[in-house]
Amino acid sequence: GQNIDQPTEMTATEGAIVQINCTYQTSGFNGLFWYQQHAGEAPTFLSYNVLDGLEEKGRFSSFLSRSKGYSYLLLKELQMKDSASYLCAVRDRMNSGYSTLTFGKGTMLLVSP
Amino acid sequence: GAVVSQHPSRVICKSGTSVKIECRSLDFQATTMFWYRQFPKQSLMLMATSNEGSKATYEQGVEKDKFLINHASLTLSTLTVTSAHPEDSSFYICSARPSGAGHARTGNTIYFGEGSWLTVV
C-alpha cells in the first residue's frame, strides 16, 4: 500500500504563490497526479509526473523527486476560484500488472482577497 | 477531451434495496476503471479496481458481495450496492484510464466521472 501525506489546510492571498507539498511511500511507483476538487464535485486533473523534475502548465506547476518520495504543486497568481481541495494521488503498479491510484487526504486551500 | 459519464448523478433508495451505478467512457476504451467512495470532508477512498473481462480487485475492508462490480465491456463498468444501509450513503466516483495509453505523459491522465450521490433512507 501507500502512505501519502499532505497538509490539511493552507491559506493564501489573491495574487500570491502557494506550494502544496506531498510525500509518499510506495513499492511500485508508477506516477503521481495532482487533482483539484471543489466541494461536491468530482476531481479534475491538474498534472502528472512520472520522471523527476518540474512540469509547468500555465499557473500550475508540479515537481517530483522519486528518490525523496516528494512532490509539490505550485500555484501562481492565485485567484479566488483556486479555493478548493488539492489532492495528491500516487499510482502503484501491482505485481498483477494492474495499477491502483491512491489519494492523499487532500489540502484545503483558502484564497482570501 | 476524454469524457467519463456516470449515472445516476443522484439516487435515493430504501434501506435493504440495491442500487446500480454506471460508469461509461464515452470516447475511449478503458481496460481498467476505478471505483472510489468519498464521505463528506474526506478524501477519495479506492474501493476496487475494475478490469474488463475479469474479476474486480477489491481493497482491504471492502465487501465483495456487497459492492458488486461488473466490467463487461471496454466502455462500461457498473457498481451495484446490494442491501444498502444508511451508512452506505456517500459520494461514489468512478475513473477510467484509456487503454493503450502506454508511457505518453498526457496519455496517463485518468478521467473521472461526475460522481453519484447515494442516499439510503
Side-chain angles (χ1 to χ4, degrees):
Chain A
Q2 304 91 354
N3 186 19
I4 304 172
D5 290 316
Q6 51 182 128
T8 305
E9 292 181 350
M10 296 184 73
T11 58
T13 307
E14 198 174 12
I17 299 174
V18 69
Q19 177 175 313
I20 303 174
N21 296 324
C22 172
T23 59
Y24 64 89
Q25 295 174 326
T26 184
S27 54
F29 179 80
N30 193 29
L32 186 144
F33 299 79
W34 282 96
Y35 289 89
Q36 179 191 61
Q37 187 179 26
H38 287 100
E41 299 179 10
T44 55
F45 172 78
L46 291 179
S47 67
Y48 168 73
N49 296 72
V50 67
L51 300 176
D52 292 347
L54 187 69
E55 294 282 341
E56 296 185 80
K57 188 184 295 185
R59 295 190 299 115
F60 297 87
S61 303
S62 58
F63 171 83
L64 175 67
S65 169
R66 289 171 296 171
S67 61
K68 295 181 180 179
Y70 167 70
S71 172
Y72 67 72
L73 178 70
L74 192 71
L75 295 81
K76 303 176 184 178
E77 302 170 12
L78 281 173
Q79 303 175 8
M80 298 296 289
K81 67 178 182 179
D82 296 330
S83 293
S85 180
Y86 290 85
L87 302 167
C88 171
V90 175
R91 185 163 68 198
D92 243 354
R93 185 176 294 280
M94 313 302 286
N95 291 332
S96 61
Y98 294 110
S99 61
T100 61
L101 188 65
T102 303
F103 286 81
K105 295 184 177 180
T107 299
M108 181 61 66
L109 174 65
L110 178 62
V111 180
S112 58
Chain B
V3 177
V4 174
S5 176
Q6 201 169 327
H7 177 79
S9 57
R10 292 183 181 273
V11 57
I12 300 173
C13 70
K14 291 184 178 180
S15 185
T17 63
S18 297
V19 61
K20 179 186 288 187
I21 302 170
E22 294 187 346
C23 179
R24 294 181 184 273
S25 53
L26 298 184
D27 53 359
F28 64 94
Q29 293 183 333
T31 306
T32 303
M33 292 186 176
F34 305 90
W35 285 97
Y36 294 85
R37 179 168 53 183
Q38 186 176 34
F39 293 106
K41 299 185 179 181
Q42 296 185 24
S43 186
L44 293 129
M45 297 297 295
L46 178 65
M47 298 176 66
T49 303
S50 170
N51 305 303
E52 187 270 336
S54 64
K55 292 181 179 180
T57 303
Y58 289 82
E59 295 300 298
Q60 192 172 7
V62 178
E63 299 175 57
K64 301 179 183 180
D65 295 332
K66 179 171 182 62
F67 298 98
L68 302 179
I69 291 174
N70 186 296
H71 194 157
S73 76
L74 287 172
T75 60
L76 173 65
S77 176
T78 60
L79 169 68
T80 302
V81 182
T82 63
S83 186
H85 290 124
E87 56 263 33
D88 297 326
S89 298
S90 184
F91 188 46
Y92 292 86
I93 306 176
C94 73
S95 66
R97 179 185 175 215
S99 301
H103 300 287
R105 293 182 174 216
T106 55
N108 278 287
T109 299
I110 295 175
Y111 300 93
F112 284 84
E114 306 95 328
S116 299
W117 286 100
L118 169 64
T119 302
V120 184
V121 298

